[in-house]
Structures are given as C-alpha cells and as structure tokens.
C-alpha cells in the first residue's frame, strides 16, 4: 500500500459511504475510499485497475443525463478475526438502478468488497445479464408510458 492514511471506521461503514457518495454524485468522495491499486471487476467485463481509471469511470457518472442509486438488501462483514491491516471482506446483495436520460432501470447485484487499512482494494460485482436486460426493457416501457410535459 502507498502513503494513503488508514481510515478509522468499520469496513461496512466504508462500503455504505462509498455507495452513498455515488448516489449523491460525489465521485471524489467515493474515490477517497479506494486504495490506489483498486481492482474493479464486473461479470464478464474487463477488469478496471487503479484509482485513476476507476475514478475516471466514476466521475463520468456525474452528468445530468446519468444517475445511479442503490437499494441495499443485505450487507455482511467477514474478517475472521484478522486486524484491518490484513483485510476484511464485505458482501453486499443489492439492486442497482442506472438512469440514462428518462430511462431508469434496476437489476440485482451481489458485490464483494475487500478492504485493507480501511480502503477498498477489490470491488467485484456479480450480476445476470439476463436480469439487467430485463430491467432495461422494463425501464424503457415505463419511460414510454410516462406523460410528456
């Protein structure tokens, strides 16, 4: 790890704050919770490595035409009694909602977060492409049914 100071809070709090920052379009606050060598994995997509690349993608969500929110269904920590410097694992079960213009859609995600010294070193999301596409279809239909202003 680099010269980044250790965060003094629980791993679950860090993950919750990470998602809260993303929901509030506060990408820089979310990025502060990441380790410089973060690895972001998504089902069947290429890995994104390093805080500069992950940060660039997260900052790209800070547009009026885009949005993100999450419903956290379950969150659990596993540390096996190790001190935070040896890492903790946080498991999340959630529904992520993405918005592109007038279309918002939700899909189920199971995420694994590994933290060392209070910072997220691994963000690994598992989701079903079928569920994502179904959610997108529902979102498109809902946007077409909304009354125009």
């Amino acid at each position: 790890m680099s010269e980044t100071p250790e965060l003094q809070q629980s791993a679950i709090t860090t993950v919750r704050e990470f998602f809260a920052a993303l929901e509030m379009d506060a990408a820089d606050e979310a990025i502060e919770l990441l380790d410089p060598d973060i690895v972001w994995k998504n089902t069947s997509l290429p890995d994104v490595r390093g805080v500069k690349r992950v940060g660039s993608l997260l900052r790209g969500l800070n547009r009026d035409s885009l949005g993100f929110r999450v419903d956290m269904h379950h969150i659990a920590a596993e540390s096996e009694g190790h001190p935070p410097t040896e890492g903790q694992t946080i498991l999340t079960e959630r529904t992520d909602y993405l918005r592109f213009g007038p279309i918002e859609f939700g899909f189920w995600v199971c995420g694994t977060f590994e933290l060392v010294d209070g910072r997220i070193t691994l963000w690994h999301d598992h989701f079903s492409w079928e569920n994502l596409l179904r959610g997108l279809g529902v979102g498109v239909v809902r946007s077409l049914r909304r009354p125009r202003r």
Side-chain angles (χ1 to χ4, degrees), residues 61 64-67 97-105 136 143:
L61 295 173
D64 289 339
S65 61
L66 300 176
Y97 297 89
L98 299 177
R99 184 181 52 77
F100 297 94
I103 300 169
E104 181 184 68
F105 64 98
L136 178 58
S143 74

Side-chain angles (χ1 to χ4, degrees), residues 3 8 20 38 54 63 77 95 98 102 111 114 133-135 148:
E3 303 286 324
Q8 300 295 322
I38 176 80
V54 172
R63 297 183 196 159
T95 301
L98 299 177
E114 292 181 4
L133 293 173
R134 187 180 310 122
R148 301 287 180 220

Side-chain angles (χ1 to χ4, degrees), residues 1-12 14-15 32-38 78-79 82-90 113-123:
M1 188 150 138
S2 70
E3 303 286 324
T4 309
E6 178 181 341
L7 295 177
Q8 300 295 322
Q9 61 188 15
S10 78
I12 286 179
T14 298
V15 171
E32 287 177 15
L33 301 172
L34 303 177
D35 185 84
D37 297 321
I38 176 80
E78 177 182 276
S79 65
H82 298 297
T85 54
E86 293 179 19
Q88 284 191 298
T89 301
I90 303 298
F113 293 82
E114 292 181 4
L115 290 85
V116 174
D117 290 332
R119 298 200 183 275
I120 300 168
T121 59
L122 173 70
W123 172 14

Side-chain angles (χ1 to χ4, degrees), residues 67-83:
F68 172 80
R69 66 184 178 89
V70 64
D71 285 339
M72 191 71 65
H73 305 296
H74 298 99
I75 187 166
E78 177 182 276
S79 65
E80 299 180 10
H82 298 297

Side-chain angles (χ1 to χ4, degrees), residues 14-26:
T14 298
V15 171
R16 286 189 186 279
E17 286 184 3
F18 177 73
F19 281 109
L22 293 177
E23 287 184 302
M24 296 184 303
D25 293 331

